[in-house]
Amino acid sequence: MDIIFLGGLEIQTIIGIYDWEREIKQTVVLDIEMAYDIKKAAETDDIQYTLDYKTVSKRIISFVEESRFFLVEKLIEEIAVIIRNEFNVPWVKITLNKKGAISGASDVGIIIERGEK
């Protein structure tokens, strides 16, 4: 299986459990790997046979910007559901980085994998 990826996708959203976090937008950074068979797209040079990463990124950006979750666990799980269900992706790996969430750490977050390659 081939992998189509988006790296370093920075999105502003309201995320967090503390009162002050509910009043400001914070940056989350996503790295997304998606299993997809690109053979037919490579043979035909036709975008209809591949996973259009621009369309995926627009959908995820829109979703995350409008979300208001308390936990990054909920956010990342919902992103995985969207990618797998709306884009017919059999496997996805997502890294969500909530930069600066912990004092003294530049990076903190979650990595999940859903589905099968």
Side-chain angles (χ1 to χ4, degrees):
M1 187 60 69
D2 307 304
I3 303 292
I4 295 175
F5 71 92
L6 297 167
L9 188 60
E10 295 187 20
I11 309 169
Q12 296 284 312
T13 191
I14 292 175
I15 186 82
I17 60 171
Y18 299 109
D19 289 342
W20 66 268
E21 290 181 300
R22 309 307 300 161
E23 297 174 9
I24 64 165
K25 289 197 172 192
Q26 298 181 72
T27 300
V28 294
V29 182
L30 300 173
D31 294 320
I32 304 171
E33 296 179 21
M34 300 164 284
Y36 207 85
D37 185 350
I38 66 162
K39 288 182 197 122
K40 190 163 185 173
E43 290 171 2
T44 62
D45 200 23
D46 190 334
I47 195 167
Q48 74 174 323
Y49 298 113
T50 194
L51 179 61
D52 182 349
Y53 48 80
K54 182 176 182 180
T55 302
V56 174
S57 67
K58 284 179 143 183
R59 174 67 173 102
I60 297 306
I61 290 167
S62 175
F63 174 76
V64 173
E65 284 178 340
E66 297 302 316
S67 71
R68 302 290 182 263
F69 296 115
F70 289 97
L71 300 177
V72 291
E73 290 85 347
K74 177 68 171 172
L75 177 58
I76 198 170
E77 191 67 38
E78 293 299 320
I79 293 168
V81 168
I82 288 169
I83 292 170
R84 293 195 64 226
N85 292 345
E86 294 183 19
F87 297 98
N88 198 28
V89 170
W91 172 88
V92 64
K93 178 180 178 183
I94 305 170
T95 301
L96 186 152
N97 186 342
K98 189 178 173 189
K99 290 192 159 289
I102 300 293
S103 180
S106 62
D107 300 303
V108 63
I110 298 176
I111 300 171
I112 66 170
E113 291 185 45
R114 296 294 183 263
E116 295 182 21
K117 285 185 189 176

